C-alpha cells in the first residue's frame, strides 16, 4: 500500500480540463453578451439614421411629384387660354411660382450631397424661370395674330414646348434616381435586418437576456415594416387621387401588349367611354396606328425615360377625329413595363392655326397688292407684302421688308395727304 501511495500522482490535467471549459464558456458568454449589446446599440443608431434617410428620400420624391404637377398644371392653364380674346398666359401665376421656388429650395437642401443632383436641379430651376417667359411671348403672339391677322410664329410655341420637354426629362431622371436610392435603402435595411437576426440567434445561447433582446429587435423590425407599408400606401393614395382628379386626360398602357391598364375620368370623358382593358390603338385613326407603333419602338430603343410626343390625331368613341398634344413617360406599373401618357385636346388651337394658314395663302393669292406695316423701334416699317405687290411696284419682298412705306412709294412725308393718313393711323 505504501508503494502504491508513493507512486500515486494527482491527475492535474484532468482537474484543469473542467476549469478550462468553464472559463471558455464564460468567455464565450461574455463575448456573446458584448456582441449582443454592441449589435443592439449599433442597430438602434443605424435604424434611426436609416429612418431619417428614408423620410428624406420620400420627401424628395414627393417634392419632385409636386414639381411635375405644377408644370403640367401650368401647361394645361396655358393651353386652355389659347384663342381667347385679349389673352395673356395664365400658366404661371404668383402663387404657383412661389410654390415652385419653395420646392426647389427644399430639394437643393435635401439633395445637396447627392452626386449629380445639384447640377440637374440648377438646370431645372433655370428652365423653370425661362419657360413662363416663353409661354407669355407665345401667348402674346397667338393673341395678336388672331386679333390683327398677323402671321403666327410657331417657333415661339415650339421653343416653349422644347423647354417643357427638357424640364420633364430632367424631372424624370431625378425621380428615377430617387427611386433607385429608395430601393438601395430598402435592400440595405433588409440586409441589416438579416445580420441582426443572425447575431441575435448566436447571442441567444448566452441566456434570457439575449432572447429578450432578439424579441425586441424583431418588434422593431416589424414596426419598421409596418411604417414602410403605411408610407407606401399613402404615396399610392396620393398618386391615385392626383391621377383621377387631374383635368387633363391621362392613361397608362402596357408597352408590349398595348393594353390600356388604367385611365382617369378626364380620359374617359374625352374619348367617350371606358378605356380600361382596351387597346391603345383604338384611340387613334386606323391610318395612324402603324406610325404610332413605329414611334413607340423608337422611344423604347432610345433609352429615354420620357418626353414629348407632339400633336397627334386621336378619335372619340363615335369615330370623330380630334388633335391631342401628347407627353409620355415609361414606368413599372403593377410589375408590367408600361407607359404613362397625357393627351390634351388642342383641336381648337390646330383649327385656329389652319385658319391663319389659309388666310395667309389667300393674301398671297390675291391679285390686289397688300402691304402690312408695323412700328419697329419707333419707326413705321413694312413687315409684309404679297406677290401682287411685287408685280405692281417692282419692289421685291426682300427690298420692301423693313423699308419705310412712304419712301418705298415715293411720297413726300411732309405733304398734307401723308400727314392726314398718319393722323388717321394714330387714331
Amino acid at each position: 500500500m505504501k508503494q502504491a501511495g508513493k507512486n500515486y500522482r494527482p491527475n492535474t490535467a484532468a482537474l484543469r480540463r473542467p476549469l478550462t471549459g468553464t472559463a471558455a464558456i464564460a468567455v464565450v458568454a461574455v463575448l456573446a453578451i458584448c456582441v449582443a449589446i454592441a449589435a443592439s446599440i449599433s442597430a438602434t443608431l443605424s435604424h434611426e439614421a436609416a429612418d431619417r434617410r428614408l423620410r428624406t428620400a420620400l420627401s424628395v420624391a414627393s417634392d419632385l411629384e409636386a414639381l411635375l404637377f405644377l408644370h403640367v398644371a401650368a401647361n394645361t392653364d396655358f393651353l386652355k387660354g389659347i384663342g381667347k380674346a385679349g389673352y395673356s398666359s395664365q400658366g404661371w401665376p404668383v402663387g404657383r411660382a412661389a410654390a415652385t421656388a419653395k420646392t426647389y429650395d427644399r430639394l437643393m437642401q435635401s439633395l445637396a450631397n447627392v452626386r449629380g443632383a445639384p447640377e440637374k436641379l440648377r438646370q431645372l430651376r433655370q428652365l423653370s424661370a425661362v419657360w413662363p417667359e416663353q409661354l407669355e411671348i407665345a401667348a402674346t403672339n397667338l393673341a395678336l395674330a388672331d386679333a390683327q391677322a398677323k402671321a403666327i410664329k410657331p417657333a415661339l410655341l415650339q421653343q416653349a414646348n422644347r423647354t417643357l420637354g427638357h424640364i420633364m426629362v430632367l424631372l424624370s431622371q431625378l425621380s428615377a434616381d430617387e427611386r433607385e436610392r429608395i430601393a438601395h435603402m430598402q435592400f440595405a435595411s433588409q440586409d441589416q435586418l438579416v445580420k441582426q437576426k443572425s447575431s441575435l440567434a448566436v447571442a441567444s445561447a448566452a441566456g434570457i437576456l439575449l432572447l429578450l433582446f432578439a424579441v425586441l429587435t424583431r418588434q422593431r423590425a416589424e414596426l419598421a415594416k409596418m411604417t414602410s407599408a403605411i408610407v407606401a400606401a399613402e404615396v399610392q393614395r396620393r398618386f391615385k387621387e392626383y391621377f383621377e382628379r387631374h383635368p387633363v386626360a391621362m392613361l397608362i398602357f402596357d408597352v408590349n401588349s398595348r393594353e390600356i391598364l388604367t385611365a382617369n375620368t378626364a380620359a374617359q370623358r374625352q374619348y367617350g367611354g371606358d378605356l380600361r382593358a382596351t387597346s391603345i390603338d383604338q384611340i387613334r385613326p386606323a391610318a395612324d396606328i402603324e406610325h404610332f407603333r413605329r414611334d413607340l419602338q423608337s422611344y423604347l430603343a432610345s433609352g429615354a425615360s420620357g418626353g414629348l410626343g407632339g400633336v397627334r390625331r386621336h378619335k372619340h368613341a363615335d369615330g370623330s377625329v380630334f388633335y391631342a398634344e401628347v407627353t409620355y413617360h415609361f414606368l413599372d406599373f403593377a410589375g408590367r413595363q408600361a407607359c404613362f401618357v397625357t393627351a390634351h385636346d388642342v383641336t381648337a388651337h390646330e383649327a385656329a392655326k389652319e385658319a391663319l394658314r389659309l388666310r395667309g395663302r389667300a393674301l398671297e393669292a390675291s391679285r390686289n397688292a397688300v402691304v402690312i406695316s408695323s412700328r419697329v423701334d419707333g419707326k413705321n416699317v413694312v413687315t409684309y407684302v404679297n406677290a401682287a405687290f411685287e408685280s405692281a411696284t417692282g419692289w421685291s419682298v426682300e427690298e420692301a421688308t423693313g423699308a419705310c412705306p412712304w419712301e418705298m412709294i415715293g411720297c413726300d412725308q411732309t405733304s398734307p395727304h401723308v400727314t392726314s393718313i398718319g393722323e388717321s393711323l394714330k387714331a
Side-chain angles (χ1 to χ4, degrees), residues 284-305:
R284 50 183 41 82
D288 297 352
I289 293 177
E290 191 59 35
H291 186 204
F292 158 71
R293 292 178 180 179
R294 288 197 302 269
D295 285 347
L296 176 60
Q297 293 303 317
S298 67
Y299 295 154
L300 289 169
S302 70
S305 57

Side-chain angles (χ1 to χ4, degrees), residues 295-331:
D295 285 347
L296 176 60
Q297 293 303 317
S298 67
Y299 295 154
L300 289 169
S302 70
S305 57
L308 297 174
V311 176
R312 303 297 181 108
R313 292 201 311 164
H314 286 189
K315 68 176 184 178
H316 299 292
D318 60 5
S320 59
V321 176
F322 68 98
Y323 290 90
E325 186 171 35
V326 176
T327 63
Y328 66 92
H329 176 70
F330 296 113
L331 47 76

Side-chain angles (χ1 to χ4, degrees), residues 334-355:
R336 302 170 72 171
Q337 186 181 9
C339 182
F340 172 82
V341 174
T342 64
H344 183 75
D345 190 341
V346 293
T347 304
H349 179 224
E350 292 299 310
K353 287 171 58 179
E354 180 64 15

Side-chain angles (χ1 to χ4, degrees), residues 148-215:
Q148 302 179 11
K150 295 184 178 180
I152 285 181
K153 297 180 180 178
L156 298 176
L157 190 57
Q158 292 170 359
Q159 185 181 26
N161 284 338
R162 284 195 297 270
T163 302
L164 178 59
H166 292 158
I167 291 172
M168 293 299 182
V169 169
L170 285 173
L171 281 174
S172 298
Q173 292 174 353
L174 284 171
S175 296
D177 293 342
E178 199 58 27
R179 287 196 300 272
E180 185 176 356
R181 285 183 61 212
I182 293 174
H184 284 315
M185 290 179 188
Q186 291 174 339
F187 289 143
S189 178
Q190 293 174 358
D191 182 63
Q192 182 183 14
L193 182 60
V194 170
K195 290 180 180 178
Q196 289 176 6
K197 289 183 177 180
S198 299
S199 299
L200 293 174
V202 173
S204 62
I208 302 295
L209 180 62
L210 298 180
L211 180 60
L212 294 175
F213 183 77
V215 172

